Each structure stands twice: as C-alpha cells, then as structure tokens.
Amino acid sequence: MTPEMPGGLVQQFPMRLPFLFLSLCFVFGAQSQITFPFDFETEETTPVLVDFEQALSSVVANPNPNDNNPSATVAKIVRQPGGEIWAGSIVTLPDYLDLSAVGAIRMKVHAPLTGSIMKLKLEGQGVSELDAITTVSNDWQELEWDFTGLPSGVFNQLAFMLDFGMYGDGTDLSTIYFDDVELFDGAGELIQVDLPINHEDESVHYQTTSFAGNFAELSTDPTDETNKVTKVTKHYLALDYAGTTVSTPLGLASSIPFESGYTSISVDVYSPTPGLPVRLKAEEYMNMANSVETQVNTTTSYEWETLTFNFAQPVPGTQPFNMNFNYRILSIFFDFGNPGYLSGSTDYYYDNVVFNGNPASISEAELSGPWLFPTAIGPNEMIHVLANGTDFERLRIFNTQGREVYNAWINGTTRIVLPGLAAGMYICKLGEDRPITQKITVTH
C-alpha cells in the first residue's frame, strides 16, 4: 500500500503486517495477563511474546550484566533469515492503555551496532509507531518512546521491531536483547511546549516526536555551545516523508493563532546543504485530514538562517489552508521528498519557532509586573487576574500535560475561583494571538 504522509500523531505502518499475523496475535496474545512493567525476572513480570516474520524470542540470562543493567534475566530476539525487515515480537496487554497523561515508554536495549532503529508499534483499534536509535554497541542503554497524548482505550498491543529496516541473518548481528519495559510520565512537572519555541525555558517540555526514520533530541547549537536547539537526524533508512513533530503527540499547548493577514511561522534552521527542501505541516490534534503544508528551500550551508513558512501558500496538491481549523500539531521535514539513502544519515538543527502574529495583539510588554496573583493557591481559593484595560481577553489554564482546565473571557481586574483542580503546577495564558503566560501552583 502507499502510505498517507503522517504528521507525527498516529502513524500508519507503511507495510501493514499480513492479516494472518494479526489474527494469530489476538488468538495467542490474549492469553497474556501481564501489564507494565516487564522485567523478565519472574513469571509474573514476563509477558507472552508472539513472534512474527521469522523473529525468535526467548528469555535468557543477561549477556552483559553491569551497572547499566544488573538484571539476571532479559528478553532476546533473534531475527532469522527469510523474515521481513519488520520482523519482531508482540505483546497483548489485558487492558487498553490510557496514554492521556502517562504515555512514554522506556526500556533497556543491548544491540551489536550503533545506529540501529528500535521501533515500538502500538496496535489495537488503531496504529501508532515511534523509533529510537542506538548510540552504543554491545552494551546496555536506555531508550525512550513518548506516545503521551494518543487517545485512551485504543491500544492494547505493543510490537517490538528491533533493528527495524534490516534483514535478519540469525547471527549475533541480528540478535537484540531488551529489558525493563515500563510506562512513565515523560513530562513530569514540565509545561507542555507552545509557540514560540526557543529551547531556553527549563520549565518547558521540549520532547519531540519523530517518525519514518527521523530522530530528534535537545542539543547544543553547533555554532554556539551556550545555545540550546533541537538536533534532527534523518537516518539513512529514513523514508522520503521522515519528519519531526515539535512536541509530543499532545501537540502545542494552544492552537496556532492564525488570522487574516497573519499566516506565517518562521524557523531558524541549520543545514549542510543549500537548496534543501524544508516542509512545515500544521494539523488538528487527532485529525490528520485537517492539515496544511508549506515548503521553502535552504539557501546556505553550515550557517543558521531564518526560513519563513506562509501557510496561506500551501504546497500544490495538498490540503488548502482553513482558518477555522484548530491547528495544534506542527511538524518539520528536512530534505522532504528524498529518502535517507540518497545522502546517508544527516544532521539538521532548528531553533526559534515563532508565529508571526499581529503586533497589535496583547504582548507581555503591554502589562507591567505580575498580571495574576497569588501564584500559589489552595484547591478552591480565589486568584486575581489583571487584564488589559476594558477589553475582553481570553484566559485559558492548562495542566502540565497540555490539557485545558479553564477557558473564559474576562475584562479588567477579575477575581475567579478554580474549583476541582488537582494539586500541581498549571500554566495560565492571557490573550489569543500572542498570549502572555504565568505559572501557578495548586496546593493540597
């Protein structure tokens, strides 16, 4: 089948597994009553692994016990000759996952080579997959895949496709060990990312979501070690639409505030090649059909430059721009349209993702001093909000997972009560186009 170009939210596996395999998973995998975490130390923590496409799984003694993984027993997958490049093993969970707040998966991996793709795929009533890449060889390392924000009650199967993209030969080079598979809160107390993205706020969760052979991480600017940026690696096995969503699957904390005459986003990019096509795609949360894509080319090599993407000028043949859509997912595609093998694994960088909004909108400079107080309140205490003059402004409050818990129009100085909020940190946003923000903490 020809895959629909994803935007980093719910990725469709471009080579769907045969119907027979899926049927077998439901027959045999349903026997498993084991849920997270899996550590393979006891019968109670070892799930049923159902192999497919000539993968052979087993539980064995740790081949390299050390400080990185002192476990006695671990899982092992050997990819045999004759299997497909997506050979692996699948676990069926007893219940559907709730990924709304705690949706990141981490596990320890022991692989023979660096640069190997470790793919985790969620299945059930939908499909989503993410990749991580090994950076050490013949030793244990911990890798992470962040699915936070995907819909709950959809996924109850987890497929391990380790060393994805390579044909197995049954030797040590096709043998992967893994251990300590667990769900965890990828964001913790960090705030869901929103525009502008400058990578400098230590309270913000800058985790990204890469797909189709991309890998991204928070990194140091290659020209300035004091500056933080996102480094994107397009793997040599990457597909032509490999990309990176600038957030977890939850998307940005608020929708991109497009309005008539203000439809562009600027991004600072660093690329080794001039004339490289860079595409930016915006889409609605959990609705990839409502999307818009625009594209520009780089003009320099090994230098930072600011590229401006005007969504009012979409790529021909893609969806038209619709001001009524709530675009919250934003993805960037380096060297779009070219598979990774054409240039080999290549690093790109981006920084300062900024919506070029209406300067007449409310800005932080228009208010002096704190605009919301107190910043620490009890679960039903009152807060004071100082809006801009007599004009009505929208006040929205989000939890650390980016979920909106309050939305109202206010004007002037307003006192409000926030009932029913759980203890924790919240981010308050005042204004719609260029909102100002402030954090508050709800105590017990």
Side-chain angles (χ1 to χ4, degrees):
M1 61 177 286
T2 300
E4 177 183 355
M5 189 187 77
L9 189 55
V10 179
Q11 307 309 325
Q12 294 298 321
F13 191 31
M15 293 164 285
R16 295 302 294 264
L17 303 179
F19 175 76
L20 175 61
F21 157 64
L22 292 177
S23 299
L24 288 174
C25 288
F26 282 108
V27 172
F28 296 106
Q31 299 173 8
S32 175
Q33 295 299 310
I34 308 299
T35 189
F36 294 103
F38 315 143
D39 65 15
F40 308 102
E41 295 296 310
T42 66
E43 182 177 349
E44 290 74 22
T45 59
T46 300
V48 174
L49 288 165
V50 177
D51 301 329
F52 55 91
E53 290 294 352
Q54 295 298 100
L56 181 62
S57 65
S58 58
V59 176
V60 299
N62 187 343
N64 187 18
N66 56 29
D67 290 342
N68 294 329
N69 185 12
S71 296
T73 54
V74 299
K76 170 185 175 181
I77 292 180
V78 182
R79 303 172 70 246
Q80 305 293 319
E84 295 289 351
I85 60 174
W86 59 83
S89 299
I90 195 167
V91 169
T92 298
L93 303 168
D95 300 303
Y96 284 91
L97 293 170
D98 180 359
L99 303 171
S100 57
V102 179
I105 296 175
R106 62 186 167 205
M107 72 177 184
K108 295 169 184 171
V109 174
H110 190 288
L113 299 172
T114 61
S116 299
I117 297 176
M118 303 290 135
K119 182 183 292 290
L120 292 190
K121 181 180 181 185
L122 300 178
E123 292 187 336
Q125 299 178 39
V127 177
S128 182
E129 61 189 51
L130 292 176
D131 299 334
I133 188 169
T134 58
T135 57
V136 301
S137 61
N138 294 311
D139 198 2
W140 289 100
Q141 70 174 128
E142 191 170 70
L143 300 177
E144 298 180 359
W145 301 257
D146 197 339
F147 294 96
T148 306
L150 291 180
S152 301
V154 173
F155 306 103
N156 70 331
Q157 293 183 310
L158 177 62
F160 300 87
M161 291 180 279
L162 310 183
D163 199 20
F164 178 85
M166 305 297 291
Y167 288 103
D169 62 9
T171 69
D172 288 345
L173 290 178
S174 293
T175 300
I176 310 292
Y177 301 89
F178 64 100
D179 194 19
D180 295 337
V181 187
E182 61 178 340
L183 274 173
F184 74 104
D185 184 354
E189 295 299 316
L190 297 176
I191 300 168
Q192 188 68 10
V193 69
D194 207 353
L195 299 181
I197 299 173
N198 61 16
H199 301 99
E200 300 300 327
D201 190 339
E202 294 184 356
S203 69
V204 173
H205 189 43
Y206 290 114
Q207 177 68 46
T208 57
T209 306
S210 291
F211 47 91
N214 259 19
F215 309 94
E217 60 183 340
L218 196 63
S219 177
T220 301
D221 183 337
T223 66
D224 180 2
E225 63 181 12
T226 66
N227 185 40
K228 295 179 181 178
V229 299
T230 291
K231 174 185 176 182
V232 176
T233 301
K234 189 168 183 177
H235 194 269
Y236 70 89
L237 291 176
L239 302 179
D240 56 1
Y241 56 83
T244 296
T245 300
V246 301
S247 66
T248 65
L250 271 174
L252 301 169
S254 55
S255 300
I256 303 170
F258 292 123
E259 61 176 301
S260 180
Y262 299 94
T263 57
S264 67
I265 290 176
S266 61
V267 185
D268 291 348
V269 303
Y270 180 95
S271 163
T273 309
L276 185 90
V278 182
R279 182 169 294 199
L280 208 60
K281 179 180 182 181
E283 62 194 77
E284 285 196 316
Y285 174 67
M286 296 307 302
N287 192 350
M288 290 191 303
N290 293 343
S291 64
V292 60
E293 305 166 39
T294 187
Q295 184 170 302
V296 297
N297 289 349
T298 60
T299 63
T300 64
S301 61
Y302 299 106
E303 292 182 359
W304 283 100
E305 62 177 320
T306 300
L307 300 182
T308 299
F309 300 84
N310 187 354
F311 287 94
Q313 300 173 356
V315 176
T318 63
Q319 296 294 317
F321 182 49
N322 189 325
M323 204 84 69
N324 295 320
F325 291 162
N326 294 316
Y327 298 110
R328 234 180 76 192
I329 306 295
L330 186 66
S331 303
I332 189 167
F333 305 78
F334 288 99
D335 199 17
F336 181 85
N338 296 314
Y341 70 81
L342 291 180
S343 57
S345 295
T346 306
D347 295 334
Y348 307 94
Y349 300 83
Y350 72 81
D351 194 14
N352 297 322
V353 185
V354 178
F355 170 65
N356 300 315
N358 187 344
S361 302
I362 187 169
S363 66
E364 191 167 5
E366 292 177 305
L367 294 179
S368 59
W371 57 269
L372 183 151
F373 57 92
T375 56
I377 60 173
N380 293 292
E381 291 182 1
M382 185 175 295
I383 61 172
H384 299 255
V385 182
L386 177 62
N388 188 25
T390 59
D391 295 335
F392 279 89
E393 298 288 353
R394 186 183 295 277
L395 173 65
R396 293 179 298 166
I397 301 177
F398 302 85
N399 63 18
T400 54
Q401 283 74 48
R403 294 194 174 276
E404 187 176 85
V405 298
Y406 184 87
N407 187 327
W409 288 93
I410 64 173
N411 72 314
T413 300
T414 305
R415 295 178 296 176
I416 60 175
V417 175
L418 304 173
L421 291 186
M425 186 169 59
Y426 295 83
I427 183 73
C428 304
K429 291 181 176 289
L430 183 64
E432 290 194 283
D433 298 318
R434 298 176 65 87
I436 58 173
T437 62
Q438 191 167 319
K439 291 179 289 185
I440 63 170
T441 301
V442 176
T443 61
H444 288 288

